[in-house]
Each structure stands twice: as structure tokens, then as C-alpha cells.
Amino acid sequence: MAGNAWRSMLAQTAAAVRRPGLSSGLASGSISRGMQTVTLIPGDGIGPEIATAVMKIFEAAKAPIRWEERNVTAIKGPGGRWMIPPDAKESMDRNKIGLKGPLKTPIAAGHPSMNLLLRKTFDLYANVRPCVSIEGYRTPYTDVDLVTIRENTEGEYSGIEHMIVDGVVQSIKLITENASRRIAEYAFEYARNNRRSSVTAVHKANIMRMSDGLFLRKCREVAENYKDIKFTEMYLDTVCLNMVQDPTQFDVLVMPNLYGDILSDLCAGLIGGLGVTPSGNIGANEVAIFESVHGTAPDIAGLDLANPTALLLSAVMMLRHMGLHECGTRIQTACFNTIKDKKVLTKDLGGTSKCSEFTAEICRRVQDLE
């Protein structure tokens, strides 16, 4: 059941991981039949290792992808403003599609979160994270099949903080009408395009009456245009309680930034953790960056112990976003069959194999599926 759910989920992702409802679809250069260029951001820690694993699997699958590797570590631009390097921005602006490994934020005064900087630079307003049980990978839950959609650009993560007096710091939660409407429309279009039956707005408008109240009001307004989709609203704490009791009651969930950060990780825990959870970030200008959302794991970096599954499944989402469905399906099938077979698994998946051995097994299975 879990395996079929995953196949159904990711087979439907193509229309929905881009901005739903845009008839123009992807950027004109991203859906050509020949080789397509993707900006690769390997990241830090285990990032280069899992990025290499994905590239090897793509090569085995003969995926028509040309990689353009870039470093996105922030630099100071004019006026002391933090920015990603110009060559990285130019690459993303041109290619429109990116694949990103885990990034660390340097510990330095005033240095921004790298992930936050990327979201702001490319207006990656929607984070889409499908959480579906994987057949053969045992967790307390076997039938999870839901999607979290997180507003990615504002809320508590707006980065607006200041010290009022010594010992008192204020952080501003920014909620706007336009961003709230935009993410609500995305969530409902996603549900419709993926034949999902319901959207739940997650909020705390009972406490934050103005900020969350505005978010909830926009969700209600948008819901009026989608009578075919059931709309519910629920407090964040109630969602967390119900989620761990019975995750099958949820379908698509939409929420502001901080709540999405927390709840999407909770949902990942239901299916086995961030190491098996894909993620995509969708921008307003046809830019999309797909990523692994786990940490950099510096303790095992360079030891051939990393699990590339999350980045690989994110890359599968990317392929479908680009219209390369057959190639994505073969890679996904090879990955899931490797996990289901349980013979060649990395330590966090319950095995003893190296990252390179796990990668080689998926490569073998991909080639056998040709």
C-alpha cells in the first residue's frame, strides 16, 4: 500500500510542484527535448557526497541533465548587504531549476541563514513536502499520505529583529495579504491538480488575532473559489496532537512559515525522518529549487556513510517538474525496490552498507529497468 501511494503521489507531482494554474508551465528552456541544464548546489558536510551519488544514478539512468555546479555561500555586496555570489544567481536565473544539498550557516555576526537568503533572492514562496510511507521501511505508521505546503518568505522568519534595550530583543512576525493569498491559492491548486480532497489551514488566530487572523481570512476567501475541495481550519497544537494519533485524517495542509518548518519535520518523522523526505521550493518567476532538508552531518562527512535518499527523491520531483516522467519513475522505482529488498541499505535505513554501495545498487536496478 505504501509503495503504491508513493508512486501515485510522485506521478502526480509534475503539475503541482510548479506554480499551479499557470498555463505557461515551466520556463521555455526547461522543457526542451535535449539536454537540460540544472544548477547544482552540492552544499556542505555530506552534501558533496550525496550530490555525487545522485549524479551517478542520473548517469546510470541516462537522464538528459547537464549539471552546472555553483557555490552559494553568501558574500557582502554593495553597502554591506549579504548576497549569494553573482555567478550562482546568474546560473539560477538562466536555468530556472536547481538541486541543492544541505547548507550550513557560518557562525559570524550578522551572517544570514543560507536557506533564508536563497528563498528571498528567488522569491521561493512555497515549500512543498510530500510525506508518504515507504514500503519496506518500518515506522510506527504505514499509511501516511499527506503534503505540507509552507509559506516560505515571511512570518517569524522575515529576519526582522532588533534590541529594544539591553536584555530585551524583539522579533517581528510579518504576515501580508498578498503572500497569504498566494500560498492559499497554491495549496488549493495543488490539491485540485493532484486529485486531493481537502486542504487544512493551520494557524493560531485565537492568540495572534491580527497576523494569523489575516492568513486565515485569506485562506477562507480563496476556499470560496474551490468548492470541489473540502476546506478545514485547525489550530497548530491541535494538528500536532491529531497528527501523531492518526495522520490519515490529513491530506494537504497549508500554513505560515514557522508552523510549516515545525510541522513538516514532524510529518517527516512519521515516515522515517528527513533522510527519506523530498522537498521542493517553488518561486514566483518560474524558478524552482529542490533540496534535501536534513542537516550537513559533519560528523560523518567524508566517511562514505551518508544516505542520499532524500536528495535523490527530491531530484525525482525535479525531473517530473521538468517533464521527464519516465526517467523519474525508473529512478524512483529503483530506489524504492532497493529499500524494500533490505539487502543494501545505509546505517540510518537499518543496514550496514556504505553510501557508495547503496548508490551502486540503485544504479544497477535503474539499468535493469531499461
Side-chain angles (χ1 to χ4, degrees), residues 49-63 308-309 312 327 330-339 344 354-370:
E49 295 170 68
I50 60 176
T52 297
V54 169
M55 288 190 287
K56 287 180 178 178
I57 294 166
F58 270 47
E59 183 179 3
K62 298 178 181 177
T309 300
L312 182 61
C327 187
R330 280 195 293 119
I331 293 173
Q332 171 192 292
T333 300
C335 178
F336 289 155
N337 286 347
T338 299
I339 294 174
V344 185
K354 302 286 190 180
C355 175
S356 56
E357 295 168 336
F358 181 65
T359 301
E361 178 64 13
I362 295 176
C363 288
R364 183 186 68 78
R365 290 175 182 268
V366 163
Q367 292 168 336
D368 288 346
L369 290 171
E370 287 185 11

Side-chain angles (χ1 to χ4, degrees), residues 178-193:
N178 288 341
S180 298
R181 181 189 301 111
R182 180 169 66 169
I183 197 66
E185 289 174 346
Y186 185 95
F188 277 94
E189 282 293 329
Y190 182 102
R192 178 177 284 173
N193 291 342

Side-chain angles (χ1 to χ4, degrees), residues 10 42 99 123 178 215 289 306 313 331 353-354:
L10 292 181
L99 182 67
D123 194 16
N178 288 341
F215 172 81
I289 297 180
L313 294 180
I331 293 173
S353 299
K354 302 286 190 180

